């Protein structure tokens, strides 16, 4: 009975807990393939950069119309795409490497975003933007996250083969006339969409965590791309559930609790995952006959 | 039969460059239909660049590549191994099946008949039983065999190979050479970048000796001479970092 109350009580009793859970589950499922491809393309840090890049756009939306979901979403998507394209273009046309170019954008974006929010709002507003407010998700926010998850999964199903080929052997894809550049851009657009979708719930600083951490952990549990996507989704959902319960029972801030839960699973994966973890390496110390 | 329909590649005053420094400089000539040509030259001589220019991965600064008898997206192209992400979690079967791209495209499923073709290609390169292996666990030679299975499935009339034998043991090299010679015998046009002078001399009928510019192009025995090799080295060393603008008409 006690266990039942501990695990299910909060969700049965409170609508805001159910909403938070639904939002996080949709984000986890949608973010899983995004995160896996970010990790495989060695773009995990870039995901972080893009999340910050959203900030000034969302902040301008906030400046113009307060906490309006529509304004902040449109602003965030616009700013995210602008930075993704701008940083890519600068890396291609100047000697500045892509990571340095992204770092520059990210620092400026963070500064600009915090400045803009502070002009109009209070420190509470700033905290909301940076760390989200998953326990206050309203219906439109849930619909937005659900819609983005649907668009993400459908689009990825369409460009999956292109993305895999582009990661593994871009020269081959180009030689058979495949639209690798288009796939890359579409993927970046999906990254931005997911970050914007999650930003309401987890805030710009934390949202990447629910996308990249499960994907980085999934690498230790499966050796195939589809396997990693499924593993990442499961890890994301479990992290959300654990994070929400811990934050509820211990009265701790929610989005850090979710990210820390994902972090704990990540640590466990490094230690004891099936492929390449410390444990699996120790067990495989004795070599096979052939 | 295939010979009559084999494609040719014509280069007209072709210049390909990185950041304005030419890697291939005013190169003209023709890879004849059904020919089997080695591209040989010092490091940085523009060999890989030339292949990329033919495939269309690099746009010419000036001059032209004209393909006759084949569409540009129907070239069988083997990139250098270092251009591929071998840590990507893909199975051997998936790599080979990429060769069906033209037939299956982005969406269509790979049917039982096509799966049979993939199995046959893997058998032809000696990788039967490796279907489900993740490519990260393969040796360099096994990985190259998987890429050759992909080429077999692409089944194209023009095949461009970029250093197919680098870091590969003698037996694999021999097996792959046999496959390539087979493609030549079937009348396909084959161009391969090579580093091993002995293989070029003994196995490849024609050679393009390249040092950013054409040093010599023709039957291997006439091209690979001490005088030509010395000239290739000399031409290559003569290029500078702070070169002036090239005044040759484009």
């Amino acid at each position: 009975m006690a266990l039942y109350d501990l695990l299910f009580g909060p969700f049965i009793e409170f609508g805001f807990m159910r909403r938070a859970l639904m939002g996080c589950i949709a984000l986890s499922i949608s973010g899983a393939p995004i995160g896996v491809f970010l990790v495989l393309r060695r773009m995990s840090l870039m995901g972080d950069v893009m999340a910050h890049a959203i900030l000034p756009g969302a902040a301008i939306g906030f400046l113009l119309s307060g906490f309006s979901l529509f304004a902040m979403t449109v602003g965030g998507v616009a700013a995210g795409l602008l930075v993704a394209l701008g940083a890519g273009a600068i890396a291609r046309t100047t000697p500045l490497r892509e990571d340095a170019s992204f770092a520059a954008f990210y620092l400026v974006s963070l500064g600009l975003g915090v400045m803009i929010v502070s002009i109009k709002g209070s420190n509470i507003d700033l905290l909301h933007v940076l760390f989200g407010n998953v326990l206050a998700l309203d219906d439109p926010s849930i619909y937005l996250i659900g819609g983005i998850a649907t668009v993400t999964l459908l689009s990825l199903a369409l460009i999956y083969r292109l993305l895999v080929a582009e990661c593994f052997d871009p020269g081959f894809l180009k030689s058979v006339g495949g639209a690798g550049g288009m796939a890359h851009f579409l993927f970046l657009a999906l990254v931005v969409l997911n970050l914007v979708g999650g930003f309401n719930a987890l805030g710009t600083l934390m949202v990447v965590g629910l996308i990249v951490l499960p994907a980085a952990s999934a690498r230790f549990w499966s050796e195939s791309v589809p396997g990693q996507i499924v593993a990442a989704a499961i890890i994301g959902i479990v992290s959300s559930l654990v994070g929400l319960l811990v934050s509820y029972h211990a009265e701790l801030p929610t989005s850090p609790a979710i990210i820390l839960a994902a972090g704990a699973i990540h640590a466990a994966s490094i230690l004891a995952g099936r492929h390449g973890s410390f444990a699996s390496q120790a067990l495989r110390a004795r070599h096979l006959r052939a | 039969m295939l010979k009559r329909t084999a494609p040719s590649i014509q280069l007209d005053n072709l210049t390909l460059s990185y950041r304005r420094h030419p890697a291939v400089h005013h190169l003209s000539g023709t890879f004849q239909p059904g020919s089997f040509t080695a591209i040989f030259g010092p490091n940085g001589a523009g060999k890989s660049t030339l292949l990329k220019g033919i495939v269309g991965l690099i746009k010419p600064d000036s001059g032209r590549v004209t393909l006759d008898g084949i569409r540009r997206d129907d070239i069988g192209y083997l990139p250098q191994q270092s251009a591929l992400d071998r840590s990507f979690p893909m199975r051997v079967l998936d790599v080979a099946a990429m060769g069906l791209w033209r037939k299956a495209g982005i969406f269509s499923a790979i049917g039982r008949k096509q799966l049979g073709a993939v199995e046959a290609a893997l058998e032809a390169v000696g990788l039967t039983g490796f279907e489900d292996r993740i490519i990260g666990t393969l040796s360099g030679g096994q990985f190259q065999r998987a890429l050759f299975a992909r080429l077999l499935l692409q089944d194209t009339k023009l095949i461009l190979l970029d250093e197919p034998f680098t870091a590969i043991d003698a037996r694999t090299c021999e097996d792959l050479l046999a496959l390539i010679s087979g493609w030549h015998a079937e009348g396909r046009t084959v161009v391969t970048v090579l580093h091993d002078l002995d293989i070029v001399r003994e196995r490849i009928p024609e050679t393009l000796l390249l040092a950013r510019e054409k040093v010599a192009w023709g039957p291997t025995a006439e091209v690979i001479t001490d005088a030509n090799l010395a000239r290739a080295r000399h031409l290559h060393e003569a290029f500078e970092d702070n070169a002036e603008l090239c005044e040759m008409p484009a």
Side-chain angles (χ1 to χ4, degrees), chain A residues 88-220:
Chain A
I90 286 176
R92 267 194 306 278
T93 52
T94 72
L96 198 62
R97 289 176 52 127
E98 197 164 37
D99 59 337
S101 163
F102 272 111
F105 269 94
Y106 139 72
L107 293 164
V108 173
S109 297
L110 190 58
L112 190 62
V114 170
M115 184 73 86
I116 295 174
V117 175
S118 305
I119 287 174
K120 186 180 177 187
S122 62
N123 275 346
I124 304 288
D125 294 330
L126 187 60
L127 281 178
H128 181 146
V129 172
L130 292 179
F131 298 103
N133 199 350
V134 67
L135 298 182
L137 287 180
D138 54 4
D139 281 348
S141 302
I142 297 271
Y143 294 146
L144 180 73
I145 294 173
I148 286 173
T150 310
V151 169
T152 302
L153 295 182
L154 288 178
S155 312
L156 280 180
L158 286 179
I159 62 169
Y160 179 82
R161 209 175 270 179
L162 273 175
L163 270 184
V164 168
E166 219 244 335
C167 294
F168 167 63
D169 187 356
F172 172 84
L173 184 62
K174 255 186 172 172
S175 79
V176 295
M182 200 268 296
H184 181 69
F185 177 69
L186 222 117
F187 175 70
L188 286 182
L190 289 177
V191 174
V192 171
L193 267 183
N194 276 273
L195 292 171
V196 171
F199 138 80
N200 260 303
L202 300 175
T204 50
L205 290 185
M206 294 283 144
V207 56
V208 195
L210 198 52
I211 294 176
V212 168
L213 274 174
S217 315
R219 201 226 152 284
F220 292 98

Side-chain angles (χ1 to χ4, degrees), chain B residues 215-233:
Chain B
V215 178
W217 190 347
T220 299
E222 293 168 26
V223 169
I224 302 293
T225 61
D226 289 344
N228 278 342
L229 290 174
R231 221 179 113 226
R233 266 194 302 277

Side-chain angles (χ1 to χ4, degrees), chain B residues 1-248:
Chain B
M1 175 206 82
L2 198 59
K3 203 146 215 155
R4 259 181 300 145
T5 61
S8 65
I9 311 165
Q10 198 183 330
L11 313 176
D12 297 308
N13 199 19
L14 179 70
T15 296
L16 302 162
S17 62
Y18 294 105
R19 295 173 201 261
R20 297 174 67 212
H21 287 284
V24 171
H25 206 194
H26 298 297
L27 179 65
S28 294
T30 305
F31 295 97
Q32 298 294 343
S35 60
F36 182 10
T37 314
I39 303 179
F40 186 80
N43 282 329
K47 307 183 293 290
S48 301
T49 309
L50 177 56
L51 287 197
K52 285 179 189 161
I54 296 171
V55 179
L57 301 183
I58 301 178
K59 293 237 158 14
D61 275 51
S62 65
R64 253 198 331 221
V65 178
T66 315
L67 298 171
D68 188 24
I70 193 164
R71 287 171 40 158
R72 180 155 265 165
D73 60 3
D74 202 15
I75 299 173
Y77 170 56
L78 179 80
Q80 275 184 42
Q81 282 213 4
S82 56
L84 280 73
D85 182 1
R86 277 184 64 188
S87 67
F88 198 84
M90 256 168 99
R91 294 177 305 162
V92 170
L93 188 78
D94 301 326
V95 173
M98 281 174 85
L100 297 169
W101 194 279
R102 293 265 301 167
K103 291 171 192 130
I106 307 174
F107 303 124
S108 10
I110 291 186
R112 188 171 299 170
K113 194 177 146 206
Q114 289 177 320
L115 208 58
V118 177
E119 297 281 357
L122 286 175
E123 190 185 338
V125 298
L127 281 184
T128 302
F130 283 73
E131 291 82 356
D132 289 328
R133 283 275 291 270
I134 298 290
I135 54 173
T137 67
L138 298 180
S139 71
Q142 289 165 337
F143 182 59
Q144 195 68 305
R145 284 172 189 263
L147 292 177
F148 267 71
R150 182 173 82 178
L151 278 171
L152 276 173
L153 286 165
Q154 279 186 273
D155 188 24
T156 63
K157 293 184 287 185
L158 173 58
I159 295 160
L160 307 178
L161 310 167
D162 200 346
E163 297 189 14
F165 308 132
T166 299
I168 278 176
D169 64 43
R171 198 183 125 207
T172 303
C173 179
E174 197 49 52
D175 286 356
L176 297 181
L177 254 175
L179 276 174
I180 300 171
S181 300
W183 289 331
H184 173 53
E186 288 166 4
R188 301 175 205 262
T189 309
V190 182
V191 179
T192 177
V193 171
L194 283 178
H195 265 308
D196 188 327
L197 195 54
D198 292 334
I199 296 180
V200 174
R201 273 206 186 101
E202 290 161 25
R203 308 293 290 266
I204 320 284
E206 313 225 0
T207 299
L208 162 59
L209 182 56
L210 192 66
R212 298 197 210 189
E213 296 173 14
K214 174 171 72 182
V215 178
W217 190 347
T220 299
E222 293 168 26
V223 169
I224 302 293
T225 61
D226 289 344
N228 278 342
L229 290 174
R231 221 179 113 226
R233 266 194 302 277
H234 173 74
L235 264 177
H236 185 58
E237 284 157 6
F239 282 85
E240 303 165 31
D241 277 344
N242 300 315
E244 290 166 15
L245 286 179
C246 173
E247 299 293 349
M248 200 154 147

Side-chain angles (χ1 to χ4, degrees), chain A residues 2-285:
Chain A
L3 190 67
Y4 179 86
D5 284 341
L6 206 66
L7 292 183
F8 301 105
F11 298 110
I12 292 167
E13 203 170 334
F14 296 111
F16 69 86
M17 286 294 283
R18 286 198 294 278
R19 283 164 197 279
L21 185 63
M22 281 318 296
C24 287
I25 286 176
L27 268 179
S28 302
I29 293 174
S30 166
I34 297 284
V36 166
F37 276 108
L38 278 176
V39 170
L40 287 175
R41 298 165 77 99
R42 302 190 171 83
M43 281 167 55
S44 329
L45 282 175
M46 220 203 78
D48 204 27
V49 171
M50 306 247 292
H52 292 88
I54 290 169
L55 189 58
I60 290 172
F62 171 73
L63 192 65
L64 295 178
S65 44
F67 274 110
S68 144
L69 182 67
F70 178 76
M72 292 178 76
T73 302
V74 170
V77 171
L81 289 180
L82 204 70
V83 166
L85 291 179
I90 286 176
R92 267 194 306 278
T93 52
T94 72
L96 198 62
R97 289 176 52 127
E98 197 164 37
D99 59 337
S101 163
F102 272 111
F105 269 94
Y106 139 72
L107 293 164
V108 173
S109 297
L110 190 58
L112 190 62
V114 170
M115 184 73 86
I116 295 174
V117 175
S118 305
I119 287 174
K120 186 180 177 187
S122 62
N123 275 346
I124 304 288
D125 294 330
L126 187 60
L127 281 178
H128 181 146
V129 172
L130 292 179
F131 298 103
N133 199 350
V134 67
L135 298 182
L137 287 180
D138 54 4
D139 281 348
S141 302
I142 297 271
Y143 294 146
L144 180 73
I145 294 173
I148 286 173
T150 310
V151 169
T152 302
L153 295 182
L154 288 178
S155 312
L156 280 180
L158 286 179
I159 62 169
Y160 179 82
R161 209 175 270 179
L162 273 175
L163 270 184
V164 168
E166 219 244 335
C167 294
F168 167 63
D169 187 356
F172 172 84
L173 184 62
K174 255 186 172 172
S175 79
V176 295
M182 200 268 296
H184 181 69
F185 177 69
L186 222 117
F187 175 70
L188 286 182
L190 289 177
V191 174
V192 171
L193 267 183
N194 276 273
L195 292 171
V196 171
F199 138 80
N200 260 303
L202 300 175
T204 50
L205 290 185
M206 294 283 144
V207 56
V208 195
L210 198 52
I211 294 176
V212 168
L213 274 174
S217 315
R219 201 226 152 284
F220 292 98
W221 297 101
S222 169
E223 285 191 307
S224 75
V225 181
Q228 287 183 14
I229 292 174
V230 172
I234 293 171
I235 292 171
I237 292 171
V238 172
S239 309
S240 307
L241 193 62
V242 171
L244 281 169
L245 285 172
V246 167
S247 116
Y248 175 86
H249 290 297
E251 292 181 28
L252 292 168
T254 319
S255 63
I258 292 174
I259 300 309
L260 285 177
I265 296 179
H266 186 59
S269 304
I270 294 174
L271 290 173
R274 275 179 57 199
H275 302 286
S277 68
F278 288 129
S280 74
Q281 286 179 34
L283 288 176
R284 216 178 288 156

